[in-house]
Coordinates of all heavy atoms in Angstrom, one line a residue:
M5 N 29.1 -12.4 16.3 CA 29.3 -11.0 16.0 C 28.5 -10.8 14.6 O 27.9 -9.7 14.5 CB 30.7 -10.7 15.8 CG 31.0 -9.2 15.6 SD 30.5 -8.3 17.0 CE 30.9 -6.7 16.5
G6 N 28.5 -11.7 13.7 CA 27.8 -11.5 12.4 C 26.3 -11.4 12.6 O 25.7 -10.6 11.9
V7 N 25.8 -12.2 13.5 CA 24.3 -12.2 13.7 C 23.9 -10.8 14.4 O 22.9 -10.3 14.0 CB 23.9 -13.3 14.7 CG1 22.4 -13.2 15.1 CG2 24.2 -14.7 14.0
V8 N 24.8 -10.3 15.2 CA 24.5 -9.0 15.8 C 24.5 -7.9 14.8 O 23.6 -7.1 14.8 CB 25.6 -8.7 16.9 CG1 25.5 -7.3 17.4 CG2 25.5 -9.7 18.1
L9 N 25.5 -8.0 13.9 CA 25.6 -7.0 12.8 C 24.4 -7.1 11.9 O 23.8 -6.0 11.5 CB 26.9 -7.2 12.0 CG 27.3 -6.1 11.1 CD1 27.5 -4.8 11.9 CD2 28.6 -6.4 10.4
V10 N 23.9 -8.2 11.6 CA 22.7 -8.4 10.8 C 21.5 -7.8 11.5 O 20.7 -7.1 10.9 CB 22.5 -9.9 10.4 CG1 21.1 -10.1 9.8 CG2 23.6 -10.4 9.5
R11 N 21.3 -8.1 12.8 CA 20.2 -7.6 13.5 C 20.2 -6.1 13.6 O 19.1 -5.4 13.4 CB 20.2 -8.1 14.9 CG 19.8 -9.5 15.0 CD 19.8 -10.0 16.5 NE 19.5 -11.4 16.6 CZ 19.4 -12.1 17.7 NH1 19.7 -11.4 18.8 NH2 19.1 -13.3 17.7
V12 N 21.4 -5.5 13.7 CA 21.4 -4.0 13.9 C 21.2 -3.3 12.5 O 20.7 -2.3 12.4 CB 22.8 -3.6 14.5 CG1 23.0 -2.1 14.5 CG2 22.8 -4.1 16.0
L13 N 21.7 -4.0 11.4 CA 21.7 -3.3 10.1 C 20.4 -3.6 9.3 O 20.3 -3.1 8.2 CB 22.9 -3.7 9.3 CG 24.2 -3.2 9.9 CD1 25.4 -3.6 9.0 CD2 24.2 -1.7 10.0
T14 N 19.5 -4.5 9.8 CA 18.4 -4.8 9.0 C 17.5 -3.6 8.7 O 17.1 -3.4 7.6 CB 17.6 -5.9 9.8 OG1 18.4 -7.1 9.9 CG2 16.3 -6.3 9.0
L15 N 17.1 -2.9 9.8 CA 16.2 -1.7 9.6 C 16.8 -0.7 8.7 O 16.2 -0.2 7.7 CB 15.8 -1.1 10.9 CG 14.8 0.0 10.8 CD1 13.5 -0.4 10.1 CD2 14.5 0.6 12.2
P16 N 18.1 -0.2 8.9 CA 18.6 0.7 8.0 C 18.7 0.2 6.5 O 18.6 1.0 5.6 CB 20.0 1.0 8.5 CG 19.9 0.6 10.0 CD 18.9 -0.5 10.0
T17 N 19.0 -1.1 6.3 CA 19.1 -1.6 5.0 C 17.7 -1.6 4.3 O 17.6 -1.2 3.1 CB 19.6 -3.1 5.1 OG1 20.9 -3.1 5.7 CG2 19.7 -3.7 3.7
V18 N 16.7 -1.9 5.0 CA 15.3 -1.9 4.5 C 14.9 -0.4 4.1 O 14.3 -0.2 3.1 CB 14.3 -2.5 5.5 CG1 12.9 -2.2 5.0 CG2 14.5 -4.0 5.6
I19 N 15.3 0.5 5.0 CA 15.0 1.9 4.7 C 15.8 2.4 3.4 O 15.2 3.0 2.6 CB 15.4 2.8 5.9 CG1 14.5 2.5 7.1 CG2 15.4 4.3 5.5 CD1 14.9 3.2 8.4
L20 N 17.0 2.0 3.3 CA 17.8 2.4 2.1 C 17.3 1.8 0.9 O 17.1 2.4 -0.2 CB 19.3 2.0 2.3 CG 20.2 2.4 1.2 CD1 20.3 3.9 0.9 CD2 21.6 1.8 1.4
A21 N 16.9 0.5 0.9 CA 16.4 -0.2 -0.2 C 15.0 0.4 -0.7 O 14.8 0.6 -1.8 CB 16.2 -1.7 0.1
G22 N 14.2 0.7 0.3 CA 12.9 1.4 0.0 C 13.1 2.8 -0.6 O 12.4 3.2 -1.5
W23 N 14.1 3.5 -0.1 CA 14.4 4.8 -0.6 C 14.9 4.8 -2.1 O 14.5 5.5 -2.9 CB 15.4 5.5 0.3 CG 15.8 6.9 -0.2 CD1 15.1 8.0 0.0 CD2 17.0 7.3 -0.9 NE1 15.8 9.1 -0.5 CE2 17.0 8.6 -1.1 CE3 18.1 6.5 -1.4 CZ2 18.0 9.3 -1.8 CZ3 19.1 7.2 -2.0 CH2 19.0 8.6 -2.2
I24 N 15.8 3.8 -2.4 CA 16.3 3.6 -3.7 C 15.1 3.2 -4.7 O 15.0 3.8 -5.7 CB 17.4 2.6 -3.8 CG1 18.6 3.1 -3.1 CG2 17.7 2.2 -5.2 CD1 19.7 2.1 -2.8
A25 N 14.3 2.3 -4.2 CA 13.1 1.9 -5.0 C 12.1 3.0 -5.3 O 11.5 3.1 -6.3 CB 12.4 0.7 -4.4
S26 N 12.1 4.0 -4.3 CA 11.1 5.0 -4.4 C 11.4 6.0 -5.5 O 10.6 6.8 -5.9 CB 11.0 5.8 -3.1 OG 12.1 6.6 -2.8
W27 N 12.6 6.0 -6.0 CA 13.0 7.0 -7.1 C 12.3 6.6 -8.4 O 12.3 7.4 -9.3 CB 14.5 7.0 -7.2 CG 15.1 7.9 -6.1 CD1 15.6 7.4 -4.9 CD2 15.2 9.3 -6.1 NE1 16.0 8.5 -4.2 CE2 15.7 9.6 -4.8 CE3 14.8 10.3 -6.9 CZ2 16.0 10.9 -4.4 CZ3 15.0 11.6 -6.5 CH2 15.6 11.9 -5.3
W28 N 11.8 5.4 -8.5 CA 11.0 5.0 -9.7 C 9.6 5.3 -9.5 O 8.8 5.2 -10.4 CB 11.2 3.5 -10.0 CG 12.5 3.3 -10.7 CD1 12.8 3.4 -12.0 CD2 13.7 2.9 -10.1 NE1 14.1 3.1 -12.2 CE2 14.7 2.8 -11.1 CE3 14.1 2.7 -8.7 CZ2 16.0 2.5 -10.8 CZ3 15.5 2.3 -8.5 CH2 16.4 2.2 -9.5
G29 N 9.2 5.8 -8.4 CA 7.8 6.2 -8.1 C 7.7 7.7 -8.0 O 8.5 8.5 -8.6
T30 N 6.7 8.2 -7.4 CA 6.4 9.6 -7.3 C 7.2 10.2 -6.1 O 7.7 9.5 -5.2 CB 4.9 9.8 -7.0 OG1 4.5 9.3 -5.7 CG2 4.0 9.2 -8.1
R31 N 7.2 11.5 -6.1 CA 7.9 12.3 -5.1 C 7.3 12.0 -3.7 O 7.9 11.9 -2.7 CB 7.9 13.7 -5.4 CG 8.6 14.6 -4.5 CD 8.6 16.1 -5.0 NE 9.4 16.9 -4.2 CZ 8.8 17.7 -3.2 NH1 7.5 17.8 -3.0 NH2 9.6 18.5 -2.5
R32 N 5.9 12.0 -3.8 CA 5.2 11.7 -2.5 C 5.5 10.4 -1.9 O 5.7 10.3 -0.7 CB 3.7 11.8 -2.8 CG 2.8 11.4 -1.7 CD 1.4 11.5 -2.0 NE 0.9 12.6 -1.3 CZ -0.3 13.1 -1.5 NH1 -1.1 12.7 -2.4 NH2 -0.7 14.2 -0.8
L33 N 5.7 9.4 -2.7 CA 6.1 8.0 -2.3 C 7.4 8.1 -1.5 O 7.6 7.4 -0.5 CB 6.1 7.0 -3.4 CG 6.5 5.6 -3.1 CD1 5.4 5.0 -2.2 CD2 6.6 4.8 -4.4
R34 N 8.3 8.8 -2.1 CA 9.7 8.9 -1.5 C 9.6 9.5 -0.1 O 10.2 9.0 0.9 CB 10.5 9.8 -2.4 CG 12.0 9.7 -2.2 CD 12.8 10.3 -3.3 NE 12.2 11.3 -4.1 CZ 11.7 11.1 -5.4 NH1 11.8 9.9 -5.9 NH2 11.2 12.1 -6.1
W35 N 8.8 10.6 0.1 CA 8.7 11.2 1.4 C 7.9 10.4 2.4 O 8.2 10.4 3.6 CB 8.1 12.6 1.2 CG 9.1 13.5 0.6 CD1 9.1 14.0 -0.7 CD2 10.3 14.0 1.2 NE1 10.2 14.8 -0.9 CE2 11.0 14.8 0.2 CE3 10.9 13.9 2.4 CZ2 12.2 15.4 0.5 CZ3 12.1 14.5 2.7 CH2 12.8 15.3 1.7
I36 N 6.9 9.7 1.9 CA 6.1 8.8 2.8 C 7.0 7.7 3.3 O 7.0 7.3 4.4 CB 4.8 8.3 2.0 CG1 3.8 9.4 1.8 CG2 4.2 7.1 2.8 CD1 2.6 9.0 1.0
G37 N 7.8 7.1 2.3 CA 8.7 6.1 2.7 C 9.7 6.5 3.8 O 10.0 5.8 4.8
L38 N 10.3 7.7 3.6 CA 11.2 8.2 4.6 C 10.5 8.5 6.0 O 11.1 8.2 7.0 CB 11.9 9.5 4.1 CG 13.0 9.3 3.1 CD1 13.5 10.6 2.6 CD2 14.1 8.5 3.7
S39 N 9.3 8.9 5.9 CA 8.5 9.2 7.1 C 8.2 7.9 7.9 O 8.3 7.8 9.1 CB 7.2 9.9 6.8 OG 7.5 11.2 6.2
V40 N 7.8 6.9 7.1 CA 7.5 5.6 7.7 C 8.8 5.0 8.3 O 8.8 4.4 9.4 CB 6.9 4.6 6.7 CG1 6.8 3.2 7.2 CG2 5.5 5.1 6.4
G41 N 9.9 5.1 7.6 CA 11.2 4.6 8.1 C 11.6 5.3 9.4 O 12.1 4.6 10.3
A42 N 11.4 6.6 9.5 CA 11.8 7.3 10.7 C 10.9 6.9 11.8 O 11.3 6.7 13.0 CB 11.7 8.8 10.4
A43 N 9.6 6.8 11.6 CA 8.6 6.4 12.6 C 9.0 4.9 13.1 O 9.0 4.7 14.3 CB 7.2 6.4 12.1
A44 N 9.3 4.0 12.2 CA 9.7 2.7 12.6 C 10.9 2.7 13.4 O 11.1 1.9 14.4 CB 9.8 1.8 11.4
S45 N 11.9 3.5 13.1 CA 13.1 3.6 13.8 C 12.9 4.1 15.3 O 13.4 3.6 16.2 CB 14.1 4.6 13.1 OG 14.4 4.1 11.9
V46 N 12.0 5.1 15.4 CA 11.7 5.6 16.8 C 11.0 4.5 17.6 O 11.2 4.3 18.7 CB 10.8 6.9 16.7 CG1 10.3 7.3 18.0 CG2 11.7 8.0 16.1
V47 N 10.0 3.8 16.9 CA 9.3 2.7 17.6 C 10.3 1.6 18.1 O 10.2 1.1 19.2 CB 8.2 2.2 16.7 CG1 7.6 0.9 17.2 CG2 7.1 3.2 16.5
C48 N 11.3 1.3 17.2 CA 12.3 0.3 17.6 C 13.0 0.7 18.8 O 13.3 0.0 19.7 CB 13.2 0.0 16.5 SG 12.6 -1.1 15.2
A49 N 13.5 2.0 18.8 CA 14.2 2.5 19.9 C 13.4 2.5 21.2 O 13.9 2.1 22.3 CB 14.8 3.9 19.6
V50 N 12.2 2.9 21.1 CA 11.3 2.9 22.3 C 11.0 1.5 22.8 O 11.1 1.2 24.0 CB 10.0 3.7 22.0 CG1 9.0 3.5 23.1 CG2 10.3 5.1 21.8
I51 N 10.7 0.6 21.9 CA 10.5 -0.8 22.3 C 11.7 -1.4 23.0 O 11.6 -2.1 24.0 CB 10.0 -1.7 21.1 CG1 8.6 -1.3 20.7 CG2 10.1 -3.1 21.4 CD1 8.1 -1.9 19.4
G52 N 12.9 -1.2 22.4 CA 14.1 -1.7 23.0 C 14.4 -1.1 24.3 O 14.8 -1.8 25.3
R53 N 14.1 0.2 24.5 CA 14.3 0.8 25.8 C 13.3 0.3 26.9 O 13.7 0.0 28.0 CB 14.1 2.3 25.7 CG 14.4 3.1 27.0 CD 14.1 4.5 26.9 NE 12.7 4.8 26.7 CZ 11.8 4.9 27.6 NH1 12.1 4.8 28.8 NH2 10.5 5.2 27.2
D54 N 12.1 0.0 26.5 CA 11.1 -0.5 27.4 C 11.4 -2.0 27.7 O 11.0 -2.5 28.8 CB 9.7 -0.4 26.8 CG 9.2 1.0 26.8 OD1 9.8 1.9 27.5 OD2 8.2 1.3 26.0
A55 N 12.1 -2.7 26.8 CA 12.4 -4.1 27.1 C 13.6 -4.3 28.0 O 13.9 -5.4 28.4 CB 12.6 -4.8 25.8
M56 N 14.3 -3.2 28.3 CA 15.5 -3.4 29.1 C 15.2 -3.9 30.5 O 16.0 -4.7 31.0 CB 16.2 -2.0 29.2 CG 16.8 -1.5 27.9 SD 18.2 -2.5 27.4 CE 19.5 -1.9 28.5
G57 N 14.1 -3.6 31.1 CA 13.8 -4.1 32.4 C 14.6 -3.3 33.5 O 15.4 -2.5 33.2
P58 N 14.3 -3.6 34.7 CA 14.9 -2.9 35.8 C 16.4 -3.3 36.0 O 16.7 -4.4 35.7 CB 14.1 -3.3 37.0 CG 13.5 -4.6 36.7 CD 13.3 -4.6 35.2
R59 N 17.2 -2.4 36.6 CA 18.5 -2.7 36.9 C 18.6 -3.7 38.1 O 17.8 -3.5 39.0 CB 19.3 -1.5 37.2 CG 19.5 -0.6 36.0 CD 20.4 0.6 36.4 NE 20.6 1.4 35.2 CZ 21.8 1.7 34.8 NH1 22.9 1.4 35.5 NH2 22.0 2.4 33.7
T60 N 19.5 -4.6 38.0 CA 19.6 -5.5 39.2 C 21.1 -5.6 39.6 O 22.0 -5.2 38.8 CB 19.2 -7.0 38.8 OG1 20.0 -7.4 37.7 CG2 17.7 -7.0 38.4
D61 N 21.3 -6.0 40.8 CA 22.6 -6.1 41.3 C 23.2 -7.5 40.8 O 22.6 -8.5 41.0 CB 22.6 -6.1 42.9 CG 24.0 -6.2 43.5 OD1 25.0 -5.8 42.8 OD2 24.1 -6.8 44.6
P62 N 24.4 -7.4 40.2 CA 25.0 -8.7 39.7 C 25.2 -9.7 40.7 O 25.1 -10.9 40.5 CB 26.2 -8.3 39.0 CG 26.4 -6.8 39.2 CD 25.2 -6.3 39.9
H63 N 25.6 -9.3 41.9 CA 25.9 -10.2 43.0 C 24.6 -10.9 43.5 O 24.7 -12.1 43.9 CB 26.6 -9.5 44.1 CG 27.9 -8.9 43.7 ND1 29.0 -9.7 43.3 CD2 28.2 -7.6 43.6 CE1 29.9 -8.9 43.0 NE2 29.5 -7.6 43.1
A64 N 23.4 -10.3 43.4 CA 22.2 -10.9 43.8 C 21.8 -12.0 42.8 O 21.1 -13.0 43.2 CB 21.1 -9.8 43.8
L65 N 22.2 -11.9 41.6 CA 21.9 -13.0 40.6 C 23.0 -14.0 40.5 O 22.8 -15.0 39.7 CB 21.7 -12.3 39.2 CG 20.5 -11.4 39.1 CD1 20.5 -10.7 37.8 CD2 19.2 -12.1 39.4
G66 N 24.1 -13.8 41.2 CA 25.2 -14.8 41.1 C 26.1 -14.6 39.9 O 26.7 -15.6 39.5
C67 N 26.2 -13.4 39.4 CA 27.1 -13.2 38.3 C 28.3 -12.4 38.8 O 28.2 -11.7 39.7 CB 26.4 -12.3 37.2 SG 24.8 -13.0 36.6
S68 N 29.4 -12.7 38.1 CA 30.6 -12.0 38.5 C 30.7 -10.6 38.0 O 31.4 -9.7 38.6 CB 31.9 -12.8 38.1 OG 31.9 -12.9 36.7
S69 N 30.1 -10.3 36.9 CA 30.0 -8.9 36.4 C 28.6 -8.6 35.9 O 27.8 -9.5 35.6 CB 31.0 -8.7 35.3 OG 30.6 -9.4 34.1
A70 N 28.3 -7.3 35.8 CA 27.0 -6.9 35.3 C 26.8 -7.3 33.8 O 25.7 -7.6 33.4 CB 26.8 -5.4 35.5
L71 N 27.8 -7.4 33.0 CA 27.7 -7.8 31.6 C 27.3 -9.2 31.5 O 26.5 -9.5 30.5 CB 29.0 -7.5 30.9 CG 28.9 -7.6 29.4 CD1 27.9 -6.6 28.8 CD2 30.3 -7.3 28.8
E72 N 27.7 -10.1 32.4 CA 27.3 -11.5 32.3 C 25.8 -11.7 32.5 O 25.2 -12.6 32.0 CB 28.0 -12.3 33.3 CG 29.5 -12.5 33.0 CD 30.2 -13.4 34.0 OE1 29.5 -14.0 34.9 OE2 31.4 -13.5 34.0
C73 N 25.2 -10.8 33.3 CA 23.8 -10.9 33.6 C 22.9 -10.1 32.7 O 21.7 -10.1 32.9 CB 23.5 -10.4 35.1 SG 24.3 -11.5 36.3
T74 N 23.5 -9.4 31.8 CA 22.7 -8.4 31.0 C 22.3 -9.1 29.7 O 23.0 -9.8 29.0 CB 23.6 -7.2 30.6 OG1 24.0 -6.6 31.8 CG2 22.8 -6.2 29.8
D75 N 21.0 -9.0 29.4 CA 20.4 -9.5 28.1 C 20.6 -8.3 27.1 O 20.0 -7.3 27.2 CB 19.0 -9.8 28.2 CG 18.3 -10.3 27.0 OD1 19.1 -10.7 26.0 OD2 17.1 -10.3 26.9
L76 N 21.5 -8.5 26.1 CA 21.8 -7.4 25.2 C 20.9 -7.3 24.0 O 21.0 -6.4 23.2 CB 23.2 -7.6 24.7 CG 24.3 -7.5 25.7 CD1 25.7 -7.7 25.1 CD2 24.3 -6.1 26.3
R77 N 19.9 -8.2 23.9 CA 19.0 -8.1 22.7 C 18.2 -6.8 22.6 O 18.1 -6.2 21.6 CB 18.0 -9.3 22.8 CG 18.6 -10.6 22.4 CD 17.6 -11.7 22.5 NE 17.2 -11.9 23.9 CZ 16.5 -12.8 24.4 NH1 16.0 -13.7 23.5 NH2 16.2 -12.9 25.6
P78 N 17.7 -6.2 23.7 CA 17.1 -4.9 23.6 C 18.1 -3.8 23.2 O 17.7 -2.9 22.5 CB 16.6 -4.6 25.0 CG 16.4 -5.9 25.7 CD 17.5 -6.8 25.1
V79 N 19.4 -4.0 23.5 CA 20.4 -3.0 23.1 C 20.5 -3.0 21.6 O 20.7 -2.0 20.9 CB 21.7 -3.3 23.8 CG1 22.8 -2.3 23.3 CG2 21.6 -3.1 25.3
F80 N 20.4 -4.2 21.0 CA 20.5 -4.3 19.5 C 19.3 -3.7 18.9 O 19.5 -3.1 17.8 CB 20.7 -5.8 19.1 CG 21.9 -6.5 19.7 CD1 21.8 -7.8 20.1 CD2 23.1 -5.8 19.9 CE1 22.9 -8.4 20.6 CE2 24.2 -6.4 20.4 CZ 24.1 -7.8 20.8
V81 N 18.2 -3.8 19.5 CA 17.0 -3.2 18.9 C 17.1 -1.6 19.0 O 16.7 -0.9 18.0 CB 15.7 -3.7 19.7 CG1 14.5 -2.9 19.2 CG2 15.5 -5.2 19.5
I82 N 17.6 -1.1 20.1 CA 17.8 0.3 20.3 C 18.8 0.8 19.2 O 18.6 1.8 18.6 CB 18.3 0.6 21.7 CG1 17.1 0.3 22.7 CG2 18.7 2.1 21.8 CD1 17.6 0.4 24.1
A83 N 19.9 0.1 19.1 CA 21.0 0.4 18.1 C 20.4 0.5 16.7 O 20.7 1.4 15.9 CB 22.1 -0.5 18.2
S84 N 19.6 -0.5 16.4 CA 19.0 -0.6 15.0 C 18.1 0.6 14.8 O 18.1 1.2 13.8 CB 18.2 -1.9 14.9 OG 17.6 -1.9 13.6
G85 N 17.3 1.0 15.8 CA 16.4 2.1 15.7 C 17.1 3.4 15.6 O 16.8 4.2 14.7
L86 N 18.2 3.6 16.4 CA 19.0 4.8 16.3 C 19.7 4.9 14.9 O 19.7 6.0 14.3 CB 20.0 4.9 17.4 CG 19.4 5.1 18.8 CD1 20.4 5.1 19.9 CD2 18.6 6.4 18.9
L87 N 20.3 3.8 14.5 CA 20.9 3.8 13.2 C 19.9 4.0 12.0 O 20.2 4.7 11.1 CB 21.7 2.5 13.0 CG 22.6 2.4 11.8 CD1 23.7 3.5 11.9 CD2 23.3 1.1 11.8
G88 N 18.8 3.5 12.2 CA 17.7 3.7 11.2 C 17.3 5.1 11.1 O 17.1 5.7 10.0
F89 N 17.2 5.8 12.3 CA 16.8 7.2 12.3 C 17.9 8.1 11.7 O 17.6 9.0 11.0 CB 16.5 7.6 13.8 CG 15.8 9.0 13.9 CD1 14.5 9.1 13.5 CD2 16.6 10.0 14.3 CE1 13.9 10.4 13.6 CE2 16.0 11.3 14.3 CZ 14.7 11.5 14.0
V90 N 19.1 7.8 12.0 CA 20.2 8.6 11.4 C 20.3 8.4 9.9 O 20.5 9.3 9.2 CB 21.6 8.2 12.1 CG1 22.7 8.7 11.4 CG2 21.6 8.6 13.6
S91 N 20.0 7.1 9.5 CA 19.9 6.9 8.0 C 18.8 7.7 7.4 O 19.0 8.2 6.3 CB 19.7 5.4 7.8 OG 20.7 4.6 8.3
C92 N 17.7 7.8 8.0 CA 16.6 8.6 7.5 C 16.9 10.0 7.4 O 16.6 10.7 6.4 CB 15.3 8.4 8.4 SG 14.4 6.9 8.1
L93 N 17.6 10.6 8.4 CA 18.0 11.9 8.4 C 19.0 12.2 7.2 O 18.9 13.2 6.5 CB 18.7 12.4 9.7 CG 17.7 12.5 10.9 CD1 18.5 12.9 12.1 CD2 16.7 13.5 10.6
A94 N 20.0 11.3 7.1 CA 20.9 11.4 6.0 C 20.2 11.4 4.6 O 20.5 12.1 3.7 CB 22.0 10.4 6.1
L95 N 19.3 10.5 4.5 CA 18.5 10.3 3.2 C 17.6 11.5 3.0 O 17.4 11.9 1.8 CB 17.7 9.0 3.2 CG 18.6 7.7 3.1 CD1 17.7 6.5 3.2 CD2 19.4 7.7 1.9
V96 N 17.1 12.1 4.0 CA 16.3 13.4 3.8 C 17.2 14.5 3.2 O 16.8 15.1 2.3 CB 15.7 13.8 5.1 CG1 15.2 15.2 5.1 CG2 14.5 12.9 5.5
V97 N 18.4 14.6 3.8 CA 19.3 15.7 3.3 C 19.7 15.3 1.8 O 19.6 16.2 1.0 CB 20.5 15.8 4.2 CG1 21.6 16.6 3.5 CG2 20.2 16.3 5.6
L98 N 20.0 14.1 1.6 CA 20.4 13.7 0.2 C 19.2 13.9 -0.8 O 19.4 14.4 -1.9 CB 20.8 12.2 0.2 CG 21.4 11.7 -1.1 CD1 22.6 12.5 -1.6 CD2 21.7 10.2 -1.0
T99 N 18.0 13.6 -0.3 CA 16.8 13.8 -1.2 C 16.6 15.2 -1.5 O 16.3 15.6 -2.6 CB 15.6 13.2 -0.5 OG1 15.8 11.8 -0.3 CG2 14.3 13.3 -1.4
L100 N 16.7 16.1 -0.5 CA 16.6 17.5 -0.7 C 17.6 18.0 -1.7 O 17.3 18.8 -2.6 CB 16.7 18.3 0.6 CG 15.5 18.1 1.6 CD1 15.8 18.7 2.9 CD2 14.2 18.7 1.0
V101 N 18.8 17.6 -1.6 CA 19.9 18.1 -2.5 C 19.6 17.6 -3.9 O 19.7 18.3 -4.9 CB 21.3 17.6 -2.0 CG1 22.3 17.8 -3.1 CG2 21.7 18.3 -0.8
V102 N 19.3 16.3 -4.1 CA 19.0 15.7 -5.4 C 17.8 16.4 -6.0 O 17.8 16.8 -7.2 CB 18.8 14.2 -5.3 CG1 18.3 13.6 -6.7 CG2 20.1 13.5 -5.0
E103 N 16.7 16.6 -5.3 CA 15.5 17.3 -5.8 C 15.8 18.7 -6.2 O 15.3 19.2 -7.2 CB 14.4 17.2 -4.9 CG 13.8 15.8 -4.8 CD 12.6 15.7 -3.9 OE1 12.2 16.7 -3.2 OE2 11.9 14.7 -3.8
Y104 N 16.7 19.4 -5.5 CA 17.0 20.7 -5.8 C 17.8 20.8 -7.2 O 17.6 21.6 -8.0 CB 17.9 21.4 -4.7 CG 18.4 22.7 -5.1 CD1 17.5 23.8 -5.1 CD2 19.7 22.9 -5.4 CE1 18.0 25.1 -5.4 CE2 20.2 24.2 -5.8 CZ 19.3 25.3 -5.7 OH 19.8 26.5 -6.1
V105 N 18.8 19.8 -7.3 CA 19.6 19.8 -8.5 C 18.7 19.4 -9.7 O 18.8 20.0 -10.8 CB 20.7 18.7 -8.4 CG1 21.4 18.4 -9.7 CG2 21.7 19.2 -7.3
V106 N 17.8 18.5 -9.5 CA 16.9 18.2 -10.6 C 16.0 19.3 -11.0 O 15.8 19.6 -12.2 CB 16.0 16.9 -10.2 CG1 14.8 16.7 -11.2 CG2 16.8 15.7 -10.1
R107 N 15.5 20.1 -10.0 CA 14.7 21.2 -10.3 C 15.5 22.3 -11.1 O 14.9 22.9 -12.0 CB 14.1 21.8 -9.0 CG 13.1 22.9 -9.2 CD 12.5 23.4 -8.0 NE 11.8 22.3 -7.4 CZ 11.2 22.4 -6.2 NH1 11.2 23.4 -5.5 NH2 10.5 21.3 -5.7
V108 N 16.7 22.6 -10.7 CA 17.5 23.6 -11.3 C 17.8 23.1 -12.8 O 17.7 23.9 -13.7 CB 18.8 23.8 -10.5 CG1 19.9 24.6 -11.4 CG2 18.6 24.5 -9.2
R109 N 18.1 21.9 -13.0 CA 18.4 21.4 -14.3 C 17.1 21.5 -15.2 O 17.2 21.8 -16.4 CB 18.9 20.0 -14.3 CG 20.3 19.9 -13.8 CD 20.9 18.6 -14.0 NE 22.3 18.6 -13.6 CZ 23.0 17.5 -13.5 NH1 22.5 16.3 -13.9 NH2 24.3 17.6 -13.1
R110 N 16.0 21.3 -14.7 CA 14.7 21.4 -15.5 C 14.5 22.8 -15.9 O 14.0 23.1 -17.0 CB 13.5 20.9 -14.7 CG 13.5 19.4 -14.6 CD 12.2 18.9 -13.9 NE 12.2 17.5 -13.8 CZ 11.5 16.8 -13.0 NH1 10.7 17.4 -12.1 NH2 11.5 15.5 -12.9
K111 N 14.8 23.8 -15.0 CA 14.7 25.2 -15.3 C 15.7 25.6 -16.4 O 15.3 26.5 -17.2 CB 14.8 26.0 -14.1 CG 13.6 26.0 -13.2 CD 13.8 26.9 -12.0 CE 12.6 26.8 -11.1 NZ 12.7 27.7 -9.9
E112 N 16.8 25.0 -16.4 CA 17.8 25.4 -17.4 C 17.4 24.9 -18.8 O 17.8 25.6 -19.8 CB 19.2 24.8 -17.0 CG 19.9 25.4 -15.9 CD 21.2 24.7 -15.5 OE1 21.5 23.7 -16.1 OE2 21.9 25.2 -14.6
R113 N 16.7 23.8 -18.9 CA 16.3 23.3 -20.2 C 15.2 24.2 -20.8 O 15.0 24.2 -22.0 CB 15.7 21.9 -20.0 CG 16.8 20.9 -19.9 CD 16.2 19.5 -20.1 NE 16.6 18.7 -18.9 CZ 16.0 17.6 -18.5 NH1 14.9 17.2 -19.2 NH2 16.4 16.9 -17.5
V114 N 14.4 24.8 -20.0 CA 13.3 25.6 -20.5 C 13.7 26.9 -21.0 O 14.6 27.5 -21.0 CB 12.2 25.8 -19.3 CG1 11.1 26.7 -19.8 CG2 11.7 24.4 -18.9

């Protein structure tokens, strides 16, 4: 279960770490990083969906249930991509709020 959790959380963790590091850079770097993270998340979800393969009858393969015959690795890639995309959306909202607050505070100083 731990390995599964690491596989699923790798992409969102990299996106979050890149977003945090981008605050020491320019505003453009922050938005480029979020865009690349969102694109990578979509690519992961698409690759995982394409790797699923055709559905098969569990009895034809000699399995007692469909879950025994299922390779779940593509599901983990899809889950990682979806979680990464949701993380990007949340970080976009958070970035917009923080940038708005910073802009308002700068205007108050002037």
